Amino acid sequence: MTPPNILVIMADQLAPQFIGAYGHSIAKTPHLDALAIRGMRFDAAYCNSPLCAPSRFAFMSGQLISRIAAYDNASEFKASVPTFAHYLKSLGYRTCLSGKMHFIGPDQMHGFEDRVTTDIYPADFAWTPDWEAPDERIDKWYHNMQTVKESGLAQATFQIDYDDEVAFAAKRWLFDTARDNALGNLSPFAMVASFIHPHDPYVARPEWWNLYTDDEINLPDFVPALELQDPFSRRLMDGIEASFVPLSEDEVRRARRAYLANVSYFDSKIGELVQTLDEIDALDNTIIIVTADHGDMLGERGLWYKMNFFEHSARVPLVMAGPGITSGSASNAVSLVDLLPTLIDVAGGDISMVGEPIDGRSLMPLARGEDDPVDEAIGEYCAEMTGYPVIMIRRGSLKFVHCDSDPPQLYDLVSDPLETTNLATDPHYAEAVAAFAKEVEDRWDGEDLRQKIIATQKSRRALHAAMEAGASESWDYDPPSNASQKYVRNHMDWTLAAKRYRYPPLKDQGQ
């Protein structure tokens, strides 16, 4: 029996709190909502690092970032690390990446047979932080409040251009796969279509902006006074300038409105891809997974963007729908490293085929509506605005956050979903705090990890300086294209070309 096709649709910086299926009162996300109705919605899914590249490398490899040295947005994703794309190819799948994966380094494929777009961000070491100067900004690319202040309307942006290209290229590849299928190539496919929206800048086209009004946009639920912020949050606020660049309520509403508009835009891309699956007669035999690399604080707790383990930043949407998947919701804590073993499971493989130790488990039992004794997600943040690793353990209703340089944090997400009260010094939770602290001590050597991170930062900064001086070719991915073999050319019989491109084939129409 042929295993099902796989389509992973990935957003960038999409907090589940801003999706209709996850309870947002005005979010217009009909296509994702429809998938959630007919599939499994995971209500406690987390990224393994709340930053683009590290999160994606954990997602691709099934390994925590400390295991593969994927610390920040300029950490190389080594070609020697196996990914789910490698394993799916070994299991007989045609594999394709359309869109962003923020690969850093000369390997820009990482197991994908086809890659049909370039990436939106650079592939070199330019974005390397410096833990020996943790308060220093890298102004050429670093977030600040000007991004929020410039939120609003536009007819075109680099993000819109990119996502329109990603959707077009993905749909064309799916049609090419269907054409090959009609000619006898019956291999299942696995595609990742990865979009940049709703990542800031918060700028939307009018048709999405006009889905919402200023009056219905709520302000953040909980914003502590500056002097009450925990030390890590205060460093983040300083880093993004939120601690000294004031925002008006209108500016906050405008940014959140544009974000919602871009969530709806991303949802429209889900609809386009689902429609394409239907048009190539693959919808009933394709498992669709929708997720994101991390969330966005959007002013909650006075924070913006990501880079922390509060719920709006660390949680991600995760919806699975397709053959063998039950309609329902799962409350167990899960994370992006669980997707590699899940995809191997879907493809008919097993964990014995993995080439390196992995940190996740298959989510197919939960997707089928079965019990899962594991209720845990692990996060690691090793990038800017800190000088020591930040560790998160989410287990059951409790979330523990540890950093060697900061006081511990503990939140009960059932009784306090907004994380308003740090329970780390509450005597009633002393036993839990001690157990979490002991677990962190046993599983992570913070000082050793810090020294490894600083060493890689030094080497990458030295390499980047040489690259800037012309020491190497660009690693930015350039999709191959051979115009002499496209559409109709003089060496072709145009009637045969027309027959090749037409889908469904004429024979399928009874002609």
Side-chain angles (χ1 to χ4, degrees), residues 24 28 30 36 55 67 132 154 199 206 238 261 279 289 295 300 305 312 336 340 359 371 386 388-389 439-440 451 469:
H24 195 281
K28 296 173 176 61
S55 176
R67 190 189 291 275
E132 293 182 308
H199 192 291
D238 291 345
E279 290 170 350
I289 300 173
E300 299 292 338
Y305 319 120
H312 277 74
L336 292 179
L340 180 143
D359 294 299
D371 291 333
T386 185
Y388 288 85
E439 183 175 351
V440 169
Q451 294 307 318

Side-chain angles (χ1 to χ4, degrees), residues 290-344:
V290 180
T291 190
D293 54 357
H294 50 73
D296 191 322
M297 293 301 292
L298 283 170
E300 299 292 338
R301 304 185 64 90
L303 298 168
W304 290 84
Y305 319 120
K306 57 272 188 176
M307 301 176 288
N308 65 79
F309 283 113
F310 292 115
E311 289 289 275
H312 277 74
S313 169
R315 265 187 64 200
V316 295
L318 181 58
V319 171
M320 297 176 61
I325 294 176
T326 299
S327 172
S329 61
S331 60
N332 295 56
V334 302
S335 69
L336 292 179
V337 293
D338 296 323
L339 288 179
L340 180 143
T342 301
L343 295 177
I344 291 175

Side-chain angles (χ1 to χ4, degrees), residues 122-436:
D124 62 18
F125 299 137
W127 294 3
T128 304
D130 184 355
W131 272 19
E132 293 182 308
D135 297 328
E136 209 171 86
R137 289 174 50 85
I138 305 174
D139 283 321
K140 186 166 73 170
W141 59 268
Y142 210 86
H143 288 291
N144 58 40
M145 290 299 95
Q146 193 61 32
T147 300
V148 179
K149 289 178 175 293
E150 293 175 355
S151 301
L153 278 158
Q155 300 296 338
T157 65
F158 72 87
Q159 294 169 284
I160 295 169
D161 284 3
Y162 187 74
D163 280 352
D164 285 350
E165 178 184 349
V166 170
F168 173 81
K171 290 185 290 183
R172 183 166 59 181
W173 189 88
L174 289 171
F175 271 110
D176 281 344
T177 301
R179 291 168 179 137
D180 290 343
N181 185 277
L183 294 174
N185 183 349
L186 302 181
S187 300
F189 64 79
M191 165 175 271
V192 177
S194 184
F195 299 88
I196 185 66
H197 280 94
H199 192 291
D200 62 285
Y202 309 118
V203 181
R205 278 185 56 85
E207 62 265 37
W208 308 111
W209 175 267
N210 291 334
L211 290 176
Y212 304 93
T213 65
D214 287 345
D215 291 343
E216 62 187 348
I217 304 300
N218 64 312
L219 292 170
D221 288 316
F222 175 60
V223 180
L226 190 62
E227 63 273 14
L228 298 179
Q229 294 280 9
D230 65 273
F232 182 51
S233 294
R234 181 59 190 266
R235 286 199 303 275
L236 286 178
M237 293 184 71
D238 291 345
I240 64 174
E241 302 181 347
S243 57
F244 54 87
V245 175
L247 299 173
S248 69
E249 289 190 358
D250 285 345
E251 288 171 329
V252 173
R253 280 199 175 92
R254 194 170 182 85
R256 287 163 73 97
R257 177 177 175 179
Y259 182 87
L260 274 170
N262 285 332
V263 171
S264 294
Y265 169 79
F266 167 71
D267 183 75
S268 76
K269 298 305 182 188
I270 297 175
E272 290 180 33
L273 293 174
V274 171
Q275 178 181 329
T276 301
L277 291 179
D278 191 31
E279 290 170 350
I280 65 173
D281 198 28
L283 185 57
D284 291 340
N285 193 37
T286 300
I287 288 183
I288 303 171
I289 300 173
V290 180
T291 190
D293 54 357
H294 50 73
D296 191 322
M297 293 301 292
L298 283 170
E300 299 292 338
R301 304 185 64 90
L303 298 168
W304 290 84
Y305 319 120
K306 57 272 188 176
M307 301 176 288
N308 65 79
F309 283 113
F310 292 115
E311 289 289 275
H312 277 74
S313 169
R315 265 187 64 200
V316 295
L318 181 58
V319 171
M320 297 176 61
I325 294 176
T326 299
S327 172
S329 61
S331 60
N332 295 56
V334 302
S335 69
L336 292 179
V337 293
D338 296 323
L339 288 179
L340 180 143
T342 301
L343 295 177
I344 291 175
D345 195 350
V346 167
D350 60 65
I351 297 304
S352 66
M353 72 183 297
V354 302
E356 293 185 355
I358 60 172
D359 294 299
R361 87 275 195 185
S362 174
L363 300 181
M364 287 309 295
L366 286 171
R368 292 190 294 262
E370 301 168 7
D371 291 333
D372 181 354
V374 181
D375 187 6
E376 175 185 282
I378 302 295
E380 302 168 326
Y381 180 76
C382 300
E384 53 266 19
M385 293 303 129
T386 185
Y388 288 85
V390 184
I391 307 298
M392 179 203 78
I393 303 174
R394 164 73 199 267
R395 187 174 294 122
S397 67
L398 297 180
K399 180 201 289 184
F400 182 74
V401 180
H402 169 89
C403 180
D404 285 356
S405 62
D406 298 326
Q409 297 180 67
L410 180 72
Y411 299 98
D412 188 324
L413 298 176
V414 171
S415 62
D416 182 22
L418 295 180
E419 299 167 290
T420 63
T421 305
N422 180 7
L423 301 171
T425 58
D426 187 324
H428 294 95
Y429 290 86
E431 186 175 340
V433 170
F436 278 124

